[in-house]
Amino acid sequence: MNSELSVTTQRARKYTQKVFLGAQLFFAAVICAQPASLPEAPQVQAENHVVSLTLHAVNKNNQDAFAFNDVTVAPEIHVSPGDVLKITYINDLPAKSSETCAVNPCMNMTNLHFHGLTVSPNAPQDDVLGMLAMPGEVLHYTVKIPRDHPPGLFWYHTHPHGESNRQVLDGMSGAIVIEGMERYVPAVGRLRERVIVVRGRSIEHDPNASQLRRDVDIPSKGCGGEAEAVEEIFTVNGAVRPQIAIAPKERQFWRIVNASPDRYLDLQLDGQPFEIVALDGMPLAYHEPKSPTRTTDHLLVAPAGRLEAIVTGPPPGSHPVLRALCVDTGPDGDPNPGMVLADIVQPSSDRSSSNSQPKPEHAIDHRRPVFKPVNVDSIKKLAPDFIVTFTEDKNGFYINGLKFAPDATPMTSARVGTYQHWRIVNETAELHPFHIHQVHFLAYAENGVPLARPAWLDTVNVPYRGSVDVILDFTDPVIKGMSVFHCHLLNHEDKGMMAKILFK
C-alpha cells in the first residue's frame, strides 16, 4: 500500500507547479472582494494514458473538503476514452465529527462515486457499496475508461450512505471531462472552454446570511409558496456571484454541472440562448447524428445533471447575468428561489479576448466519432419491466415501500445486453430526481404524455404526484455487477431512498 501511494505521489508531483499555481489563482479569486473573476480549478491531465492523483478528505473550519496538493480545492480531471484513472483517496477526517448527518452519529466515513461514467461497479472502480474508508484509512481506485466511452462532462463526489448529503453540501465534489466532444460538434474545438461547477452553500447558520441573499438577488417571495426560509445559495466554482468574461458575439463552450446535493438549477443566460451540445455527459449527436445541437432559452438541470452548450457574448452596453430561475419543488419541497449565479462582463483591455485555446495534443481523441442510433419504439409500447415508486413519511424515504439497507438483496436485476422500460412514480408532494449508476436512459414521457424533446440522461426530474417513463440502456458489458439507483436529493438517499440493482 505504501509503495503504491509513493508511486502515485511521484506522478502527481509532475503536475505540482502547474496545479499549485492554478490553486493559488483559484483561491485568490474566491477570497478577494467581490466581484471576482470566475475561479478555475487546477487541472490534472493524463500521462501515457494514465491519470494519477492523490486526494485527501479533510476537515477545515468545521467543514469537510477535498485537499489536493496541500490546498482544499477539488481538481478538474481530464481523461480520454481508453485512459485509466488512478486515485489514492486518503481519509484524513477526524475520528469524531462535529457536524450533523441525516442519520446520526456521523462516522466520518467516505468514498468516491464517478457520476455518469459507464464503468464497472466493482472494486476498485465505481463501487459505492463495498469501498468505504473510515478515518485513517486509504482507498485505491483504478477506473478504466472504455475506449468507446462517449465524451462529455461528468463529476465525482462522495457517496457514503447516511453522510453523502453533508459531505457534498460541504463541497466534496469536482468535475471530470472526458475529451473528444469536438468529434461530435467540431465547432467546440475552436472555442474557449469553461468548466462551471455550481454547488450549494448552506447559509442556515451563517451570520452574513441576509447579506448573501442580497448579493445574489434572492427575491423576498418564492414561486412555490414555501413557508421555510431560504437555507442555501449557489456558488460558482467556489465563488459567490463571480464575473464571467465574454466579448460581444464571442462564442464559448460552457460545461455546467449542478453539484448541489439538493437544489435545482433552471439555467438562463439573459437575452442569449443555449446551443445545447450534450446533456448529462451524453452528446446529442451520439444517438441522433443528424441533430448534434438544439437551442433553448432556459433549461431545468436536476441535482447532479449537466448542461454542455455553446453560448454567445451579449451585445455591448448590456448587463446580463447567468441566473437560476425559481423552481416550484412542490408543497412539501424545499425553497428553490431564483438568484443570480454570475455576472457576464466584457473582457478588460489588458486581457486577451481570444477564444482560441487549443487542447494539448495528448488530450485529443482523433478517432472518428462513434454513433449509436437506437430505435426503442417497440419497447415503449410494452408494459414497464419495473416500476420505481418514491414515497416518504415522517420516518424516512422509501423506494417501493422499503428503506435502503447495506445488507439488502437487490431489489431488481437487469441482464447485460438488453434494454428495459421503467416507470418512475412519485407519490409524494415534492420533486425527486431519479438517478441510476453506470447507465444512461432515454426519458421519453412525463405523466404518460410523450415529451416533445426526449433526452438521454443519467438523472431525471420526476414531477410530484406524477411519473416519468424511461428506457434504460444495459447493453455495455463493462457494467456487470451490483449497483444502485436512488433519489439524488442526497438527504433523501441518506434517509433510505436508494436500492440495489444487479447487472448480470
Side-chain angles (χ1 to χ4, degrees):
M1 182 177 294
N2 290 335
S3 63
E4 184 172 350
L5 174 58
S6 175
V7 170
T8 303
T9 303
Q10 289 172 10
R11 287 172 175 165
R13 282 177 182 153
K14 295 181 180 180
Y15 305 104
T16 298
Q17 269 192 313
K18 176 182 177 182
V19 168
F20 186 68
L21 176 60
Q24 286 180 314
L25 295 173
F26 181 96
F27 279 99
V30 171
I31 64 176
C32 71
Q34 297 294 332
S37 297
L38 180 72
E40 295 183 1
Q43 294 187 11
V44 182
Q45 306 277 356
E47 181 180 333
N48 297 323
H49 302 290
V50 177
V51 179
S52 294
L53 67 149
T54 298
L55 276 181
H56 296 255
V58 299
N59 187 274
K60 184 176 181 181
N61 300 325
N62 292 321
Q63 284 197 317
D64 295 341
F66 287 136
F68 175 64
N69 284 349
D70 299 323
V71 291
T72 49
V73 55
E76 184 181 300
I77 300 172
H78 288 251
V79 295
S80 294
D83 286 351
V84 176
L85 173 59
K86 291 189 174 183
I87 299 179
T88 298
Y89 185 44
I90 304 171
N91 187 348
D92 285 331
L93 295 172
K96 186 176 181 180
S97 175
S98 61
E99 297 193 78
T100 300
C101 291
V103 180
N104 287 307
C106 297
M107 303 293 289
N108 271 351
M109 58 183 175
T110 190
N111 62 4
L112 297 176
H113 168 46
F114 305 98
H115 186 112
L117 294 185
T118 305
V119 296
S120 171
N122 301 316
Q125 300 198 57
D126 191 23
D127 175 14
V128 300
L129 295 171
M131 295 184 71
L132 286 167
M134 299 301 291
E137 296 181 343
V138 181
L139 297 173
H140 298 276
Y141 289 93
T142 301
V143 182
K144 300 176 181 178
I145 310 299
R147 284 194 57 80
D148 58 352
H149 199 293
L153 178 64
F154 303 86
W155 65 301
Y156 61 98
H157 62 86
T158 60
H159 206 295
H161 180 65
E163 305 190 36
S164 57
N165 182 76
R166 170 180 61 90
Q167 293 182 5
V168 175
L169 183 59
D170 279 354
M172 297 184 78
S173 61
I176 299 175
V177 174
I178 294 188
E179 304 287 3
M181 188 62 72
E182 64 279 355
R183 293 192 292 129
Y184 293 86
V185 183
V188 303
R190 301 185 295 272
L191 304 180
R192 176 167 187 171
E193 179 179 308
R194 294 189 184 275
V195 175
I196 298 173
V197 181
V198 181
R199 298 182 177 92
R201 171 178 164 182
S202 175
I203 59 172
E204 185 178 5
H205 304 294
D206 194 315
N208 298 315
S210 296
Q211 182 60 49
L212 287 167
R213 293 189 188 100
R214 289 192 292 271
D215 288 344
V216 296
D217 289 351
I218 293 179
S220 58
K221 186 177 181 181
C223 61
E226 304 90 349
E228 299 93 342
V230 175
E231 297 178 350
E232 290 183 31
I233 63 170
F234 289 118
T235 64
V236 181
N237 289 5
V240 176
R241 194 170 176 171
Q243 294 182 341
I244 302 178
I246 182 171
K249 296 185 179 180
E250 177 188 355
R251 283 156 59 84
Q252 293 185 359
F253 181 35
W254 290 8
R255 317 182 91 158
I256 305 173
V257 53
N258 180 0
S260 164
D262 56 4
R263 293 297 185 265
Y264 293 83
L265 273 179
D266 193 348
L267 287 166
Q268 178 180 286
L269 180 59
D270 290 351
Q272 300 295 324
F274 293 111
E275 186 180 345
I276 300 174
V277 169
L279 295 171
D280 285 6
M282 182 64 70
L284 300 189
Y286 186 75
H287 290 100
E288 297 186 59
K290 295 181 179 179
S291 301
T293 64
R294 67 178 176 88
T295 302
T296 187
D297 293 327
H298 69 99
L299 186 77
L300 179 62
V301 181
R306 283 91 68 210
L307 166 66
E308 297 175 76
I310 298 171
V311 300
T312 302
S318 59
H319 302 281
V321 299
L322 176 67
R323 68 176 72 245
L325 303 177
C326 187
V327 177
D328 179 2
T329 62
D332 292 345
D334 295 319
N336 209 121
M339 68 184 76
V340 174
L341 301 177
D343 292 288
I344 308 304
V345 299
Q346 294 186 32
S348 58
S349 57
D350 59 342
R351 292 180 58 187
S352 171
S353 61
S354 172
N355 61 6
S356 178
Q357 289 188 328
K359 292 181 178 295
E361 184 69 18
H362 66 270
I364 299 176
D365 187 340
H366 294 285
R367 294 177 304 151
R368 291 183 178 180
V370 175
F371 298 106
K372 190 179 179 180
V374 177
N375 187 342
V376 293
D377 289 344
S378 60
I379 303 176
K380 295 178 185 178
K381 298 175 183 178
L382 302 176
D385 296 286
F386 186 64
I387 297 176
V388 176
T389 303
F390 289 151
T391 56
E392 62 185 74
D393 59 26
K394 62 181 181 180
N395 297 314
F397 297 82
Y398 311 87
I399 292 180
N400 294 355
L402 299 173
K403 281 187 178 183
F404 176 80
D407 59 352
T409 58
M411 182 175 285
T412 187
S413 64
R415 187 162 297 283
V416 174
T418 66
Y419 293 89
Q420 284 192 5
H421 171 197
W422 286 20
R423 180 167 295 148
I424 321 301
V425 179
N426 180 0
E427 293 186 351
T428 78
E430 64 177 313
L431 301 181
H432 292 285
F434 167 83
H435 170 56
I436 184 168
H437 292 202
Q438 276 48 72
V439 303
H440 280 70
F441 49 78
L442 177 67
Y444 70 91
E446 183 174 301
N447 297 330
V449 179
L451 293 171
R453 289 179 168 175
W456 287 89
L457 308 167
D458 62 43
T459 308
V460 66
N461 184 54
V462 188
Y464 57 90
R465 300 192 183 103
S467 66
V468 170
D469 282 80
V470 301
I471 305 295
L472 294 108
D473 183 353
F474 297 124
T475 59
D476 198 316
V478 305
I479 67 171
K480 187 175 181 180
M482 188 74 74
S483 191
V484 295
F485 56 94
H486 59 89
C487 171
H488 218 287
L489 298 179
L490 295 182
N491 186 48
H492 297 180
E493 180 265 305
D494 282 342
K495 293 181 178 179
M497 200 173 270
M498 183 165 77
K500 296 179 184 177
I501 178 172
L502 177 62
F503 302 135
K504 61 183 183 178

